[in-house]
Amino acid sequence: MPSAIRPLHLAVALDGPARFDAGHYAALAALAERGALDFVTLGDPLTRPGPDALSVLAHVAPLTRRIGLVPTVAVTHAEPYAVSAAVATLDWVSQGRAGWTVGTSASGAEARLFGRGPAPAGTVWREAGEIIDTVTRLWDGPAADAGPANAVPGTERPVGAGTGRHSGRPEPYGQPGPPGRPAVFRPPQRRPPVVVDLGGAGEPGRRVAARHADVVLIRAGTPEEAEQRRRVLLTEAAALGRDPAALRVLLSLSVDLGEGEPCPQPGLAPSRQRRVRAAHFSGGPVELAELIARWHRDGVVDGFHLAPLLPHRDLERIVNGTVALLQHRSLFRAFHPGGTLREHLGLTRSAGFRTAAAPAPAAAGRAR
């Protein structure tokens, strides 16, 4: 689709130096909401100091009204039942504005925290795909192996807790939900958008994104590189029976709008902030707007996921400078067109639904 008629999507990361103050994140989310951005993200450091992203954004939810809320949800060592319940809860308390970034870990140190052994990236991403598949089965309703279903007010029909099976792990990780637990309740969006960040994910991550993601975050240093990665991703999605138009591909861009200002925190520098290689912008809000407009006009991406070096400084400049200029040029909307995150992204309710059979589970799980 020509970029001239393809809406521009903008999201922003609220990460940065860890803050154990939910009000800090609520203020940033409210600022992003004033700019009509699609959503904000918050990472979840498993073994590094920092707040729990899901808990923080659940606090932010009632303090905002339109902005999408997308925490990183670690799935590598998690139970599908717990993941489905946590994301559904965020979707309910935000009234349909939740999404979730699939968090994976191939770290041996993190695996040992759960009594497991390290695993290669291919295994980690295969497990992530199985988790996503199981979570969506839980939300979709009872399956053949479902236990007694409980009716939940507000849902269209009862949803069973025994749906699906995470077959890639040995028991008890293979259990979709502990016996006797109440049924999983269906989120207002039915399927909160799945975000897959391909930074450092390689081919295994791309396969999961092509099959399951609604939003994919890519890294690229040039428009040509971004276009090539987007084309490969959409081709793989089409080969799996998905409609490529149902995917939103955003370029992850670390942003420093300090324009030469000394960093207010000694020792904090862009190279130490970035965990993976990514495109980096350093300059002013107007120059950033020009870059966004140029790349989007060329049709290489659907939008941008901006990661400010210092959110409490750079986000205000993004919203009141970059976004305001894009809105003035009619390149970005001035208000949210709907009430849910799927509506912000222009995704239909069925866009994230499974359209091709899931791959056969591996014969053996991970070493523990």
Side-chain angles (χ1 to χ4, degrees):
M1 178 183 296
S3 61
I5 59 173
R6 196 168 65 214
L8 171 65
H9 297 282
L10 293 176
V12 67
L14 302 184
D15 305 300
R19 297 280 294 268
F20 290 88
D21 173 12
H24 164 77
Y25 297 101
L28 292 176
L31 178 58
E33 186 171 68
R34 289 210 302 272
L37 272 62
D38 291 72
F39 60 89
V40 296
T41 63
L42 185 60
D44 196 333
L46 185 60
T47 58
R48 302 186 309 280
D52 179 84
L54 258 168
S55 298
V56 169
L57 293 187
H59 172 86
V60 169
L63 303 177
T64 53
R65 298 183 60 189
R66 293 289 184 181
I67 190 85
L69 304 173
V70 182
T72 294
V73 179
V75 302
T76 300
H77 308 294
E79 283 283 358
Y81 178 88
V83 172
S84 65
V87 177
T89 299
L90 179 61
D91 205 39
W92 274 106
V93 300
S94 66
Q95 299 182 320
R97 293 182 285 125
W100 54 302
T101 300
V102 178
T104 62
S105 171
S107 163
E110 293 181 353
R112 284 191 289 275
L113 293 175
F114 297 87
R116 310 181 73 193
T123 300
V124 167
W125 276 105
R126 175 178 56 77
E127 289 185 345
E130 292 177 2
I131 289 272
I132 299 170
D133 189 66
T134 304
V135 166
T136 52
R137 288 175 186 271
L138 285 164
W139 287 335
D140 281 351
D145 61 342
N150 298 335
V152 179
T155 58
E156 295 175 356
R157 59 190 174 94
V159 180
T163 307
R165 181 169 292 276
H166 183 211
S167 57
R169 303 185 187 207
E171 302 296 347
Y173 283 123
Q175 294 286 354
R181 288 285 293 271
V184 170
F185 46 93
R186 178 170 297 135
Q189 295 181 97
R190 183 155 182 161
R191 290 191 177 184
V194 175
V195 179
V196 174
D197 187 344
L198 293 186
E203 184 177 347
R206 194 183 66 234
R207 287 199 297 267
V208 170
R211 183 178 296 278
H212 297 287
D214 298 294
V215 178
V216 184
L217 308 182
I218 65 171
R219 307 297 199 279
T222 64
E224 293 76 18
E225 187 180 1
E227 183 178 29
Q228 191 270 340
R229 293 185 177 181
R230 180 174 183 271
R231 184 171 58 250
V232 170
L233 180 66
L234 299 187
T235 299
E236 291 187 1
L240 292 168
R242 298 189 63 189
D243 178 5
L247 271 70
R248 301 290 176 265
V249 181
L250 309 186
L251 178 78
S252 281
L253 183 67
S254 64
V255 172
D256 177 7
L257 297 184
E259 297 184 276
E261 291 180 14
C263 189
Q265 290 193 226
L268 185 65
S271 60
R272 299 179 63 177
Q273 281 259 299
R274 284 173 280 162
R275 298 175 56 199
V276 298
R277 188 177 69 86
H280 177 71
F281 173 86
S282 181
V286 174
E287 290 79 12
L288 178 59
E290 296 290 350
L291 182 150
I292 290 174
R294 185 170 62 254
W295 282 44
H296 187 255
R297 182 180 60 242
D298 292 343
V300 298
V301 289
D302 299 302
F304 290 79
H305 174 244
L306 305 175
L309 172 63
L310 297 175
H312 64 276
R313 180 197 67 187
D314 294 333
L315 183 55
E316 187 275 337
R317 299 176 184 185
I318 290 173
V319 170
N320 295 328
T322 302
V323 172
L325 183 56
L326 292 171
Q327 291 170 336
H328 178 72
R329 296 179 180 178
S330 300
L331 298 176
F332 188 63
R333 62 175 178 240
F335 59 90
H336 289 98
T340 71
L341 179 54
R342 296 196 74 88
E343 290 172 331
H344 300 345
L345 293 166
L347 299 173
T348 63
R349 182 177 166 181
S350 61
F353 284 22
R354 182 174 46 256
T355 54
R366 286 176 52 181
R368 299 188 61 192

